[in-house]
Amino acid sequence: MALDVGKLLAGSVQYPKLPEVSPSYGTAGFRSTAVLLPCTVFRCGVLMALRAMHTGAATGIVITASHNPEQDNGVKLVEPSGHMLSPSWEAFADRLANAPDDDALAELCHELISQHSISIGNATVMVAHDSRPSAVALVAAAGDGISCVGATAYACGLLTTPQLHWMVMKCNRKLPHSKEDYFHTLAEAYEQLTAGAATPDEVIIVDCANGVGANALQQLQEKLGAKLRLKLFNTEVGVAGKLNADCGADFVQKERTGPASMTLAECSGRCASIDGDADRLVFFSQEGDTLALLDGDKIAALLALLVQQLLKAAGLEDVSLGVVQTAYANGASTQFLQQLPHCTVQCTPTGVKHLHAAAEKFDIGIYFEANGHGTVLIGKPFLEKLQKTSQAGGEKLQEAARQLEALATLSNQAVGDALSGLLMVEAALQLLQKDLQSWGALYRDLPSRQRKVSVRDRSVVKTADAERKAVSPAGLQEGLDKAAASVKSGRVFVRPSGTEDVVRVYAEAATQEDADGLALEAARLLHHLAGGTGAEV
Ligand code: NG1
Ligand code: ZN
C-alpha cells in the first residue's frame, strides 16, 4: 500500500513546526520544555510507525523526561528488540523533527519509505508515559502521528521507561508481555535466585522521586510478599511540583545528600533512590555527617562479584565477562574491576545505547553509568552452554546454573531498569553475604567534581577516545593535560551534554581540593577557548 498523503497532512497540520524550535536527538531521544514538544512527538509517532512497518514488528514510545524537572518532557524511542532506536535512524529522526512544514515532512516520509522499501500496512507502536501532567497531550500527539500513516497506537498507560522497553521486547518474542507479567517475572526470578539464602531482616527504604516508580514498586512489593520488604518514600505521584524535586537518584548522586523530605534517621537505613522514570538506581546510607553513596560503579562492581561467584560454582570460568563503563566512572572503580580475574573492562561514550552495544559482545556483559543506569546482559549462546551444565553437572553445579538463569531473567535484557537493579543488588548482597558497609568498602572512590559550563555553542567542543580527549577547540586538551599532570591521580575531561545546553566537566584527584581545582581550571579553559558566556550553571 502507498502512503496516504492526505491523511498525513491532515494530521500534521494540527502539530505545526515552530520556526524557533530546532529539536536534536540527544543522548536518549528528544527532550525540552513540554510546551514545545507536540510537533516533535507527533513526528516521532510517524517515525516509529514507519520503523514498525520496516521491521515487521512492534516498536515503542515512552513520553518522559526522566530526572528532568516536571515542566520538561521528552520522548524515548524503542526498537522491536526493546533497545533504544537504532543509531542508524537517529539522523533521520533529527531531519524529520526539523522539517520546516507539512509538505517537507511528507517529502521526507517518502524518502524514508523508498530508501528502505517500506511497505505501508498494519503495524503497532506501544506508547507509555511517566507521571508528568503534560503526558496527556503528548500521548495524543504520538497517537495521531502513528495513526496518520496507518499504524495502530497501543496505549500502555502509566509505566516506567524500562517496563515499556521490556514489554516491547517480550511482545516481539511472542512471550507473555503484560504489565502484570513484568512484575510476576521479576518477583519469581528474584525468588529463584535467592532460594536458600536468608531473607533480609532489614526493610529497604526506597526514595521514589515522586514518580511512576512509586506505583511500580508498590505492585512489585505485592508480588514479593515477605521475600523482600520495601518502605517507599516520595510517593506523591502526579502531585504538582513534586516530581524529582530535591529527591530521586539524580539529586542524591549529584548533591551527595539524602532526599530533602527524609529525616537523617530514615536516610541512615539501607536506602535506595530511583529517578522519575525508574531507569536509574543508586543506594545510599547516612553515616554521621557524610552520605555513603553506592552509585552505578559500585553496583557494577557488586554484580561483577556475584557473576564471578556463580560462574565459579557452575564451573564456567572460561566465559567472556565484560564490564562496560563511561569516562564518568570513578577511577577507583575501574582499577578495582581491572584487577578481577577473567574480567574485561571497557569504556564507551556516554549514553546507554553505546554501553549496551558494547556489553552485548560478551557472553555476560555488565554495563552501568555512574549515575546508576545499567543492567546485566546474558547472551543466548551462554544460556545454551548453561543448559548443558544444568543437565550434566552435579547438584552444586546445577544449582549455580539455575541461579545464573534466574539472573538472566531478573536483569532487564532490553535496557537499564531500577526495579530489576534493586532486586539484583539485594540478591547479590544476600548471596555474597554483604551489607552496605562491606559493599561500600570494596574500593574507596577518588574525590571527584562535576561542573556544567555554559558556552555560546557547545558543539564547538568535540571529543575522541570515548570522550576522554577533547580534539577541539585547539589547545583545550593540552591545557587539560597540563592541569591533570599537576595534581596526584589527576584526571579531567569535558564533553558537550546531549540533554542540556551545557558543556560538562568531570575531574578527579587524590584530594577533594585538587579535584575541585582541576574542574575549575577546566571551566576556565572552556571560557577562554570555547567562548564561555561567563555563566556557571
Ligand atoms: P548528557 O546530558 O549527555 O550528559 C545525561 C547523563 C547520561 C544519560 C543521559 C540520558 C551524565 C553525566 N550524563 O546525558 O549518563 O543518563 O543524561 O538521561 O550523567
Ligand atoms: Zn531516567
Side-chain angles (χ1 to χ4, degrees), residues 66-67 76 275 277-280:
S66 187
H67 57 278
K76 292 185 176 177
D275 74 336
D277 65 339
D279 60 359
R280 288 192 191 182

Side-chain angles (χ1 to χ4, degrees), residues 27-28 31 66-67 254 280 328 350 369 371 373 450 495 497-500 504:
T27 312
R31 217 176 270 192
S66 187
H67 57 278
K254 299 256 158 62
R280 288 192 191 182
Y328 291 99
T350 303
E369 293 189 307
N371 59 33
H373 195 172
Q450 286 200 45
R495 59 173 276 279
S497 160
T499 62
E500 292 176 67
R504 293 193 198 282

